[in-house]
Amino acid sequence: LTGPPSSLLTTEAMQAAGLLLTWVLLRPASTQQCHPSSPGSILRFTDTHAEIRVPALHRVPSSLDPLYSLVRHYLDLIQQNPLPTELLRAALNDPSSVRTSQVVQYELGYVICAAVSLLFTVTVPVAGLCFCYCRSQQRCGGRLRAHRRSLGCRRRCLLICLSITSLIILTSAICALVTNQRVKEQMEPGLGAVPDTLRTLRQHIANVPQVAPLSLQGVQMVVDQFEVPRQQIISDLAGISRSVGLSIHAQLKAMTYTALADLKDRAGDLQTSLHHLQILDKTVRVLTAARAELEPVLREQRQRVVALLDDPRCTSCASILGRAQSLELGADYSKVPSVEKVLKTLAGLPRSDFAEMIRQGNGTFNSIPELAVERMAQVIQELREEMTKVSEKVQSIADGFPLPDYTWHVSEALLKAENRSQPFLREVERFEWYRWIMGMALCSIILLITACNVVGMALGTYGLSKREDPSDYECRGEAGAKFLMVGVGLGFLFSWLLILLVFATFLVGGNIQTLVCRNWVNQEIYKFIDTPGNLPPSMNLTRQLNLRRDSNLSTTYRECKSGAGLWEVLQLEKSYNLDEHLKTPKYTANFQKRLGDFTTHLGDVRLLRSEGRQDLETFARSGVDEVDYGRFQEEMKIPVVQTSLPGLARSLEGLQKMQRNGTVAGRLATEAQALWQMQNSTVQTQEALVVKLGESIRFLSQLAPHLQERVKTTLATTASVEAQLPLQAQQILRQEIGCFTRKELRYFAQYLHWVGHTLREDVASCQPLATALDNGRVILCDRIADPWNAFWFSLGCCTFFLIPNIIFAIRLTKHFRPIRNRLM
């Protein structure tokens, strides 16, 4: 080749370079997608307000539930009127306008019960006094006057009736004791729960808008949770530069290493070709010179052997005469093409150190991860500083949150309710203590009356069984009668206290159940409060709680119970645009811009310097591929000597043994020895050179057909890789930074979404308000009112069954005493 170096880039080479460029451009496309998010990319935030939740109370199933249900049905019969809306409105707005007849009409069932209780209170003690007077005058009670056969049946009937009555009284007394203790057990924690709940609610409301930097509550705690995404982003920033470098290295290493390996192969071809060309030239020269030296020697040897074999004295020598006459040189390497011109072109090559060049290119490419860390250090530091500024922006969410303007009304109302409830609750607790003591005492008296009945019936029945004559005196029967009379006396003596306690507790507990609890369950109370004009202006809860005008207590309760927040209930969005404060670009614009504007060159790798390129171009145009290596191979097929010297020498040695003439035999031996010496000293050396020459010819003949294509492809490949490597590295850099940016923006978006959800529904939740109302109903109605009402119901049952108990006991007393006269 005589053209300039640029002429090497033929159409074929350009096509090869185009194919390589297409491969380079398309291969990274398979990795354009970002890596899938790992489980760690989902941020976990701390529950911000769990410690100030109001625990929900529920009705606990009890074995007394049937009794509670019976009492509620009884009260529903006593008080069938609905909530007295008009009466309550008048009582709250103008108490002086309330007429007694209205109250009596509404409380008619309780008035009737009061009349019955008053009648019982008066009648039973009066009856007891009359009975005592009659007994003192011996006009009633005492003994039976005559014995009749029907007395046994009457006595058994009285025993059964008194036993049943005593059993009912005993069961009711036990229920009264249990419910009395249950009221005491529930009253103390129930009363204590009222100020605790009010205090918890007030703390909940007060803690919501806390914005002090050191506060760990409310909105500030939500804002402080920005530390979670901030630490995650800073952690990601610490590894992004090396990650980018490793990604560039991983995606481009295949084509870079391929180009370097191809370059290494071409450098090896150059070195090896030059070596074999030098061997070829030297060997041809040596073979040509050796042939020139061998030719006269071989000619003289042929003449001597032919003359000897023509000698008539030589026996049987004609058989090998023809072989001896053909003893002449074979291959003539002076006829093969000369490679001097090629060697002259390649003289001084390689001028560059390809091994060092490849090592440097490989090292430069492998240093891309460290180079990325160095180049991106400045932008990473700027992004860390930007995160500090973002933290200050996030703090503005807490600084501007308007909830204190709305919640101080509720906090003030709860504080007043807490302060005013304390003395009232202390009084209730004191009166509850008195009620419990009286209840325990009266229940003990009822148990004592029941014990007197049991002992009296047992002694009286035993005495009758041992008495032979009904008129005979027997102390056991008389003792039984006296026990029964003690029970009767206790019944007359304490019945008025029993009925007073029953009516007092009944009046309080019954009205709580029918007026408060029943209407609390069906939310009639909320409807009454929501109706305009029912409450006086001083008790306007909508205004005091700062609810929106189109809202009411029922709606607010339902919204809070369903999990709505103060944000929704108070409609804070009208005064504070939270969505505007939670827009992601507001906090990420600078962060995103700094990453978007970052650019650097990470793929400037030099694979082939100019002197190396010139060496390969010189190698390609040196003419190595134009040498006729076939001519060499054809000449190598021809032996150094046409006739085999060893064969001819062995034939001469064979003829020596057949000769009768000693002189001929000696000359044959001498010629054979000369042939062996020529073969071992000259011909064999030339044959070894031919073998060596064959190795070089084989390598060069295999390389020659592909030399131009391989060199051109290598030059095109290295040039394309050097040109495209920076572009591809920049593309991968932008891709990785884009993926990183989207990943970090997701952290911002997760946090801001969590902030919006938490401020609207969790931190500023009004569910504790609804829970507190429900807890109040559970405490008052389920835990206090139910056992309270069961207590007076059980005690009232005991009280009213004292009447038949007294009657049966007085009637049975006569049967336990001796009969005055015995009639047949």
Side-chain angles (χ1 to χ4, degrees):
L1 295 176
T2 58
S6 60
S7 64
L8 293 173
L9 298 177
T10 62
T11 304
E12 185 180 359
M14 293 300 294
Q15 291 177 351
L19 292 174
L20 178 64
L21 180 59
T22 302
W23 174 78
V24 170
L25 292 176
L26 292 179
R27 185 179 183 277
S30 61
T31 59
Q32 290 298 314
Q33 295 182 351
C34 298
H35 301 292
S37 299
S38 62
S41 63
I42 305 300
L43 300 179
R44 304 295 180 186
F45 300 101
T46 305
D47 186 9
T48 57
H49 239 46
E51 69 279 0
I52 57 175
R53 296 292 188 195
V54 176
L57 302 179
H58 302 282
R59 180 185 181 90
V60 180
S62 171
S63 58
L64 297 174
D65 285 345
L67 177 60
Y68 297 159
S69 178
L70 176 63
V71 174
R72 284 195 294 271
H73 284 88
Y74 172 75
L75 288 175
D76 290 339
L77 293 174
I78 295 296
Q79 179 56 280
Q80 300 182 7
N81 298 320
L83 183 70
T85 305
E86 298 296 332
L87 183 61
L88 289 176
R89 182 189 296 117
L92 292 173
N93 290 276
D94 187 10
S96 60
S97 64
V98 178
R99 291 176 296 176
T100 305
S101 59
Q102 293 177 312
V103 178
V104 171
Q105 183 179 359
Y106 177 74
E107 297 280 348
L108 183 59
Y110 293 98
V111 172
I112 295 174
C113 291
V116 173
S117 300
L118 181 61
L119 180 63
F120 187 96
T121 303
V122 174
T123 303
V124 175
V126 170
L129 291 175
C130 294
F131 178 75
C132 291
Y133 177 76
C134 292
R135 285 291 298 144
S136 64
Q137 298 297 323
Q138 296 183 354
R139 292 182 180 181
C140 58
R143 304 178 184 180
L144 294 174
R145 295 183 179 276
H147 176 74
R148 297 180 179 85
R149 293 181 179 179
S150 60
L151 291 179
C153 180
R154 186 180 302 175
R155 183 171 56 248
R156 285 191 295 273
C157 182
L158 289 173
L159 277 171
I160 293 173
C161 291
L162 184 59
S163 298
I164 294 174
T165 305
S166 299
L167 181 61
I168 294 174
I169 293 175
L170 177 62
T171 303
S172 301
I174 292 174
C175 290
L177 281 170
V178 172
T179 52
N180 187 54
Q181 184 64 28
R182 184 71 58 86
V183 172
K184 182 178 182 297
E185 293 174 354
Q186 295 295 336
M187 185 68 75
E188 293 180 1
L191 295 177
V194 174
D196 290 343
T197 301
L198 293 174
R199 188 179 306 109
T200 302
L201 287 175
R202 183 164 51 82
Q203 291 174 352
H204 174 74
I205 297 298
N207 285 334
V208 167
Q210 289 290 332
V211 296
L214 298 179
S215 174
L216 296 178
Q217 303 292 334
V219 179
Q220 182 59 41
M221 187 171 183
V222 174
V223 171
D224 289 344
Q225 287 291 300
F226 180 68
E227 188 66 15
V228 175
R230 193 181 79 86
Q231 289 297 337
Q232 182 64 48
I233 292 171
I234 289 177
S235 176
D236 292 347
L237 286 173
I240 179 59
S241 54
R242 180 166 293 277
S243 176
V244 168
L246 291 175
S247 181
I248 294 174
H249 184 273
Q251 296 187 43
L252 299 182
K253 66 180 181 180
M255 72 172 185
T256 304
Y257 290 163
T258 300
L260 289 173
D262 196 17
L263 181 61
K264 182 178 180 181
D265 290 342
R266 298 294 78 74
D269 290 344
L270 173 60
Q271 294 279 4
T272 308
S273 297
L274 183 60
H275 172 69
H276 283 294
L277 286 171
Q278 291 173 348
I279 291 177
L280 187 149
D281 182 66
K282 182 179 179 180
T283 303
V284 168
R285 291 177 183 277
V286 172
L287 287 174
T288 302
R291 188 177 188 279
E293 293 177 1
L294 181 60
E295 184 177 6
V297 176
L298 185 62
R299 185 170 56 251
E300 292 176 3
Q301 184 68 39
R302 183 180 68 243
Q303 292 174 356
R304 288 196 302 270
V305 172
V306 170
L308 178 60
L309 294 177
D310 270 341
D311 192 338
R313 294 175 296 174
C314 186
T315 305
S316 302
C317 293
S319 60
I320 62 173
L321 181 60
R323 293 169 60 190
Q325 291 175 346
S326 62
L327 187 62
E328 58 185 18
L329 293 175
D332 185 2
Y333 286 96
S334 63
K335 300 177 181 180
V336 298
S338 174
V339 294
E340 291 183 4
K341 182 180 178 182
V342 178
L343 288 173
K344 184 178 180 181
T345 304
L346 296 178
L349 294 184
R351 290 184 292 271
S352 58
D353 188 349
F354 281 95
E356 178 64 18
M357 191 187 309
I358 293 172
R359 187 190 66 78
Q360 290 181 0
N362 199 18
T364 304
F365 178 74
N366 289 335
S367 66
I368 286 180
E370 287 73 19
L371 183 62
V373 173
E374 178 184 348
R375 298 282 179 85
M376 296 184 68
Q378 180 62 30
V379 72
I380 297 300
Q381 181 60 33
E382 293 176 355
L383 291 173
R384 289 195 179 100
E385 296 173 356
E386 180 62 28
M387 291 306 300
T388 303
K389 297 178 182 178
V390 173
S391 299
E392 297 174 356
K393 292 180 181 179
V394 172
Q395 180 62 38
S396 65
I397 298 176
D399 296 339
F401 204 70
L403 203 55
D405 299 335
Y406 293 85
T407 56
W408 74 271
H409 296 281
V410 182
S411 299
E412 185 178 2
L414 292 174
L415 180 60
K416 289 181 180 179
E418 182 183 348
N419 294 334
R420 292 177 181 177
S421 66
Q422 295 290 347
F424 174 74
L425 294 176
R426 284 194 294 269
E427 290 297 319
V428 171
E429 188 175 1
R430 185 166 63 88
F431 283 112
E432 164 58 21
W433 172 254
Y434 295 152
R435 185 209 61 79
W436 179 78
I437 293 177
M438 185 174 292
M440 293 297 292
L442 293 178
C443 288
S444 300
I445 291 174
I446 293 175
L447 291 177
L448 182 59
I449 292 173
T450 306
C452 290
N453 288 344
V454 173
V455 174
M457 287 187 291
L459 290 176
T461 303
Y462 182 74
L464 289 176
S465 65
K466 296 299 183 180
R467 185 186 299 172
E468 297 179 356
D469 187 351
S471 62
D472 292 342
Y473 178 80
E474 210 286 319
C475 63
R476 296 185 184 89
E478 185 67 23
K482 289 181 179 180
F483 269 105
L484 290 177
M485 292 307 295
V486 170
V488 170
L490 291 175
F492 281 127
L493 183 62
F494 291 101
S495 60
W496 66 279
L497 286 176
L498 287 169
I499 198 64
L500 287 180
L501 180 61
V502 169
F503 178 73
T505 53
F506 160 73
L507 186 62
V508 175
N511 276 290
I512 290 177
Q513 174 62 36
T514 58
L515 186 62
V516 179
C517 294
R518 186 170 64 188
N519 294 292
W520 199 340
V521 172
N522 57 27
Q523 297 189 5
E524 288 295 328
I525 291 180
Y526 297 148
K527 296 178 182 178
F528 174 80
I529 295 174
D530 292 337
T531 303
N534 284 349
L535 297 178
S538 60
M539 299 177 62
N540 190 336
L541 294 181
T542 301
R543 181 175 57 83
Q544 290 187 2
L545 298 179
N546 201 25
L547 301 178
R548 60 180 187 265
R549 293 184 179 181
D550 60 340
S551 180
N552 52 47
L553 187 60
S554 300
T555 305
T556 303
Y557 169 77
R558 286 193 297 270
E559 291 177 351
C560 292
K561 191 173 181 63
S562 64
L566 292 176
W567 182 270
E568 179 181 353
V569 173
L570 301 179
Q571 289 187 337
L572 297 181
E573 66 273 5
K574 293 182 179 180
S575 60
Y576 186 79
N577 192 345
L578 184 59
D579 290 333
E580 182 66 27
H581 287 76
L582 297 180
K583 287 184 177 179
T584 305
K586 181 178 180 180
Y587 306 95
T588 62
N590 291 337
F591 184 90
Q592 192 172 1
K593 185 176 184 301
R594 289 182 184 275
L595 281 173
D597 294 343
F598 174 75
T599 181
T600 186
H601 297 286
L602 299 177
D604 297 335
V605 179
R606 191 69 179 273
L607 303 181
L608 183 61
R609 291 193 292 269
S610 58
E611 57 271 21
R613 180 176 294 275
Q614 291 175 2
D615 285 348
L616 292 181
E617 291 174 350
T618 302
F619 178 44
R621 68 170 182 266
S622 63
V624 174
D625 56 333
E626 296 178 356
V627 176
D628 187 2
Y629 297 104
R631 183 70 186 84
F632 283 91
Q633 293 171 347
E634 292 175 1
E635 199 67 31
M636 288 169 58
K637 294 177 183 178
I638 303 173
V640 176
V641 180
Q642 293 289 357
T643 301
S644 173
L645 295 181
L648 183 59
R650 283 192 288 272
S651 297
L652 293 178
E653 289 174 350
L655 289 175
Q656 176 193 355
K657 298 176 182 178
M658 298 171 59
Q659 300 302 317
R660 298 185 182 90
N661 190 318
T663 303
V664 174
R667 290 178 62 191
L668 286 173
T670 301
E671 295 301 329
Q673 184 65 30
L675 290 173
W676 278 115
Q677 184 178 2
M678 183 183 297
Q679 172 67 27
N680 294 333
S681 63
T682 303
V683 176
Q684 192 172 0
T685 302
Q686 293 185 31
E687 289 176 347
L689 290 174
V690 171
V691 173
K692 185 177 181 181
L693 179 63
E695 295 176 358
S696 298
I697 292 299
R698 280 194 298 273
F699 174 81
L700 293 171
S701 62
Q702 292 174 1
L703 173 67
H706 309 289
L707 176 61
Q708 293 289 338
E709 179 184 353
R710 289 179 180 177
V711 172
K712 293 171 185 177
T713 301
T714 300
L715 294 176
T717 299
T718 54
S720 179
V721 170
E722 288 179 347
Q724 292 301 319
L725 199 62
L727 300 178
Q728 291 298 315
Q730 186 68 17
Q731 180 181 350
I732 297 172
L733 172 67
R734 300 314 311 161
Q735 170 196 330
E736 292 295 322
I737 288 181
C739 292
F740 175 79
T741 303
R742 288 191 289 275
K743 178 183 177 183
E744 307 314 307
L745 292 183
R746 283 197 297 270
Y747 291 143
F748 282 104
Q750 284 184 51
Y751 170 72
L752 294 174
H753 174 76
W754 176 80
V755 169
H757 174 79
T758 304
L759 291 182
R760 287 187 174 100
E761 300 181 12
D762 189 11
V763 169
S765 174
C766 71
Q767 192 169 20
L769 301 177
T771 304
L773 290 175
D774 291 340
N775 289 351
R777 180 186 57 77
V778 171
I779 293 172
L780 178 62
C781 301
D782 296 339
R783 298 191 178 185
I784 295 179
D786 277 349
W788 176 289
N789 290 326
F791 166 72
W792 63 254
F793 185 84
S794 301
L795 192 62
C797 185
C798 295
T799 303
F800 282 100
F801 270 93
L802 282 178
I803 296 176
N805 179 81
I806 291 173
I807 296 173
F808 294 143
I810 292 175
R811 297 293 299 272
L812 189 60
T813 301
K814 297 179 180 182
H815 293 271
F816 292 159
R817 290 175 177 153
I819 299 176
R820 294 180 180 179
N821 299 314
R822 179 179 176 86
L823 300 175
M824 299 302 296

